[in-house]
Amino acid sequence: MKTESLGMNLDQLLVISGPTVSSEEQAEKNYTFKNQLKTLPFVQKQAASNNIPGRGYNFSTAGITMQNPQPGDEKKNYSMFISDQNFFDTYGISFVEGRTYTEEQALTGWSNAGKVIINQKAAAQLGFPAGEPIVGKKIVWGKEYEIIGVVKDYHHLSLHETINPTVYLPSVSYSYFTVKTDAANMQAKISQIKDMYKSIFPGNPFEYFFADESFDQQYKKEQDLGNLFITAALIAIFIACLG
């Protein structure tokens, strides 16, 4: 499970937890922090999202259909994920059609921008014929939203879980900030980001982790069981050596 291709790349992704103490200027502060991250020479890519792979989605909902739905389509469930325009590139998620959001659409927010991205599972569940162009078509969720991109299915959760039909919504997110960098001088890089974080989000604890390690926590039971088998095998070998 740990070596299977996930359809995304979690290598060298440092994730910073967003502020827990918010203010009236929160959206502006989030935008400032993201822009300042881009100025750091060791930051190759950066993104903001309201959740991350391995930790779930933002919410799930029914009532999403094509413009001319079939009976029962309104009862089908979709996972919803909120992020900025950089999320897909930062996590190495491929598009099979279309593109990511514009920065303006992320700043406007999904409710006002009227744009969404879906994955292949969602396209199939919505009823779009396989192989038919989807970009530019609309879905209905209270009002109409235009599909601007279709991403290739990837394992957002562990391989224990099936890939969910997912709709991605644009926003200036701040629950998690993800930075792609290399492994050199990591502690010095983290210290520099911490200083920046503290200056923009005073009163908030600075917490970080690595995306691949967080994702692998889903396999803790398997890891513990593997360690148990290794221990049992070593004990058996030791007993055998005693004759």
Side-chain angles (χ1 to χ4, degrees):
M1 287 181 177
K2 290 178 66 176
T3 58
E4 182 74 16
S5 174
L6 298 172
M8 62 177 172
N9 189 353
L10 301 177
D11 293 341
Q12 303 302 324
L13 293 184
L14 174 68
V15 184
I16 300 109
S17 297
T20 55
V21 180
S22 61
S23 66
E24 292 182 359
E25 305 83 18
Q26 195 60 56
E28 182 180 344
K29 288 183 177 181
N30 301 336
Y31 191 62
T32 299
F33 183 63
K34 289 199 299 181
N35 282 337
Q36 288 198 15
L37 282 174
K38 290 190 291 187
T39 67
L40 298 175
F42 55 81
V43 173
Q44 301 169 7
K45 299 177 182 180
Q46 53 82 29
S49 56
N50 279 2
N51 216 323
I52 60 167
R55 296 201 172 191
Y57 300 89
N58 293 119
F59 61 96
S60 62
T61 188
I64 301 175
T65 68
M66 296 174 64
Q67 289 178 304
N68 299 302
Q70 298 295 315
D73 281 357
E74 73 281 356
K75 297 179 181 179
K76 297 176 180 177
N77 282 303
Y78 295 85
S79 295
M80 313 298 283
F81 189 85
I82 302 171
S83 74
D84 71 359
Q85 72 277 9
N86 299 321
F87 171 78
F88 305 99
D89 182 43
T90 301
Y91 278 84
I93 298 167
S94 302
F95 279 79
V96 294
E97 185 183 352
R99 56 169 177 80
T100 187
Y101 324 114
T102 64
E103 185 174 21
E104 181 181 358
Q105 288 163 354
L107 287 169
T108 301
W110 52 271
S111 182
N112 294 320
K115 311 292 183 182
V116 297
I117 293 168
I118 63 176
N119 67 354
Q120 292 171 299
K121 274 286 189 72
Q125 181 164 285
L126 283 162
F128 290 109
E132 180 180 298
I134 298 174
V135 168
K137 296 191 175 179
K138 296 181 178 180
I139 59 174
V140 180
W141 181 35
K143 65 177 185 178
E144 290 186 344
Y145 291 82
E146 181 186 356
I147 299 170
I148 62 171
V150 181
V151 295
K152 187 175 180 180
D153 288 339
Y154 69 95
H155 291 279
H156 189 83
L157 299 176
S158 80
L159 272 73
H160 289 299
E161 310 290 339
T162 58
I163 296 174
N164 292 352
T166 307
V167 178
Y168 301 86
L169 307 171
S171 176
V172 180
S173 307
Y174 66 89
S175 294
Y176 297 99
F177 298 96
T178 302
V179 168
K180 184 172 182 62
T181 184
D182 56 48
N185 302 315
M186 184 60 73
Q187 288 305 313
K189 294 173 182 176
I190 292 172
S191 178
Q192 193 170 346
I193 293 174
K194 179 179 180 180
D195 291 341
M196 183 183 295
Y197 184 95
K198 288 291 188 180
S199 69
I200 298 173
F201 304 122
N204 283 277
F206 178 75
E207 299 175 339
Y208 70 91
F209 54 89
F210 293 95
D212 56 350
E213 294 176 359
S214 174
F215 195 91
D216 284 348
Q217 284 299 309
Q218 299 175 101
Y219 303 119
K220 188 176 185 305
K221 289 183 179 179
E222 286 81 359
Q223 292 169 344
D224 291 344
L225 185 61
N227 291 334
L228 179 62
F229 276 117
I230 291 172
T231 301
L234 290 175
I235 292 172
I237 291 171
F238 175 73
I239 293 172
C241 291
L242 292 177

